[in-house]
Amino acid sequence: MLRRKFLQLAPVSTLAAAGACAARPPAQQSSPRLLKPARLQTGDQVMLICPGGPINEARLQKAVANLTSLGLQPRLGKHVLAQNGFNAGTDAQRLEDLHAAFQDPNIKAVWPVRGGYGCTRLLPLIDFELIRAHPKLLIGYSDITALLLAFYQKTGLVGIHGPLGSSDFSDFNLGHLRPLIMEGAETHLIHWAAEGVSLVGGKARGPLIGGNLTLLAAMAGTPYGFDAKGKLVFIEDVGEDPYSIDRMLTQLRQSARLDQASGIILGEFVGCEADPDDLSLSLLDTLKGRLVEFGLPLVYRMPFGHGDQNCSLPIGVQAELDADTGSLRLLESATA
């Protein structure tokens, strides 16, 4: 049913059709003052850490090779290969590596090797004054969503929702990452017409915020949860059944003022279709059922997060979504 071109699906309600008419200005609200980290330069030292799940030596070496290919000098967190069950070491070990990376003046960016469960455990323990005093690029996705959002909420730090240290550094992924972290691009166009589906048309502007749906839902109602009002919200996940997607979107509707977002950008939701014999709505019907009624510009199957193609999206940076053409334009740089 989904073709490899940008489709305009028929509006399912009068409200949805009305939402496609005009660009939506961002709502007025209190947002953190942006704290932009310095862009990376050839030869900069970058710390590889594991704040969530554990890794093996092969995965670490892939991350080292990836950073070296960018002309960067990878350095290893003290506990990067530690393991404590499903976590990459104890909370104290993972926190030590995170704090050490931000405190070290020679380190110019912090790049998790992988996501994996565990980042939310660290949030109450993090020294946010340390992060504010030493702003640096933090790059990653999946469970790293917790750190990206918490840093933005507590300090205003712009982080990059993008490839992890051990991700595939494909031409596509680097083409959307390098301009943000190494070239200081003031504007950047991400055009997804060949990939996406428009569920509600129109244009919308606002600061980008979002990440992995499981983490967004897990942080709802905590001091680190996000407020969608006036923002361009991007959401993705992997390996979740449609009923779980429904439950988590329902939680965000009730906790994050999702209906007051400027627009919503949905990822590919890899492996989230129901099994053929399940008593279930399809993934697409689930997403439409929870979001289309808002009448906000809304697109689906944008390539970010757990798919092979992973565009980099800077948290807190102003952007404009065109849901009719399938494009997102960053309106300011992600770095100082």
Side-chain angles (χ1 to χ4, degrees), residues 24-45:
R24 293 173 173 268
Q28 296 298 314
Q29 69 168 81
S30 176
S31 295
R33 181 178 179 181
L34 283 190
L35 179 60
K36 294 186 178 183
R39 68 182 179 91
L40 290 176
Q41 302 182 43
T42 300
D44 279 349
Q45 297 182 36

Side-chain angles (χ1 to χ4, degrees), residues 103-171:
Q103 192 166 31
D104 188 335
N106 295 312
I107 299 299
K108 305 304 180 184
V110 184
W111 212 322
V113 177
R114 66 162 293 190
Y117 173 71
C119 290
T120 52
R121 293 172 57 103
L122 300 182
L123 299 185
L125 309 174
I126 291 173
D127 183 348
F128 290 104
E129 289 305 316
L130 171 66
I131 306 302
R132 183 183 289 109
H134 305 280
K136 300 177 184 184
L137 277 167
L138 174 70
I139 307 163
Y141 72 100
S142 194
D143 216 64
I144 309 305
T145 294
L147 300 179
L148 293 170
L149 283 189
F151 287 3
Y152 172 71
Q153 296 287 84
K154 296 298 185 180
T155 73
L157 181 64
V158 174
I160 306 295
H161 185 280
L164 292 155
S166 62
S167 295
D168 288 333
F169 277 25
S170 65
D171 289 343

Side-chain angles (χ1 to χ4, degrees), residues 196-233:
V197 177
S198 175
L199 302 182
V200 180
K203 294 182 180 181
R205 286 191 180 193
L208 286 165
I209 199 163
N212 180 261
L213 177 57
T214 298
L215 273 295
L216 298 178
M219 297 167 73
T222 75
Y224 318 101
F226 79 103
D227 182 356
K229 184 176 180 181
K231 297 183 176 68
L232 285 177
V233 180

Side-chain angles (χ1 to χ4, degrees), residues 238-259:
V238 61
E240 297 288 346
D241 291 325
Y243 81 88
S244 294
I245 302 292
D246 183 286
R247 182 188 68 241
M248 291 185 286
L249 288 176
T250 298
Q251 187 172 5
L252 294 186
R253 285 168 59 112
Q254 296 171 4
S255 65
R257 297 199 285 184
L258 202 55
D259 62 322

